[in-house]
Amino acid sequence: MNTIESQSTELDSAAIAIVGMAAHLPGARDIREYWHMLRHGIEAVRDLTDDELLAAGVTPDLLRNPHYV
């Protein structure tokens, strides 16, 4: 076996495959839809409502803080 074949075999034995992927993406149900939005310049980021922030654990005092982003 020559050096190139030997190296190829070593690399193949260390190869990995991604068989699944999950993500929470703004405005998209899945990665394919998110990629479509990116390619077409579709903006999906939005501001959260006070109710959503409170439900996520943000305190009312922090919500009233003018420097809170």
Side-chain angles (χ1 to χ4, degrees), residues 59-69:
T59 64
D61 287 339
L62 185 55
L63 268 182
R64 288 191 292 272
N65 183 328
H67 300 290
Y68 178 71
V69 178

Side-chain angles (χ1 to χ4, degrees), residues 21-39:
M21 191 173 189
H24 181 84
L25 305 163
R29 292 179 298 249
D30 56 35
I31 293 167
R32 182 173 294 174
E33 189 173 317
Y34 187 67
W35 180 244
H36 171 82
M37 292 167 57
L38 287 174
R39 288 182 36 217

Side-chain angles (χ1 to χ4, degrees), residues 9-63:
T9 301
E10 289 174 27
L11 291 176
D12 289 344
S13 67
I16 63 168
I18 298 173
V19 295
M21 191 173 189
H24 181 84
L25 305 163
R29 292 179 298 249
D30 56 35
I31 293 167
R32 182 173 294 174
E33 189 173 317
Y34 187 67
W35 180 244
H36 171 82
M37 292 167 57
L38 287 174
R39 288 182 36 217
H40 292 89
I42 300 169
E43 180 66 47
V45 177
R46 65 175 181 81
D47 292 331
L48 299 175
T49 66
D50 287 352
D51 289 338
E52 290 171 315
L53 292 169
L54 290 168
V58 175
T59 64
D61 287 339
L62 185 55
L63 268 182

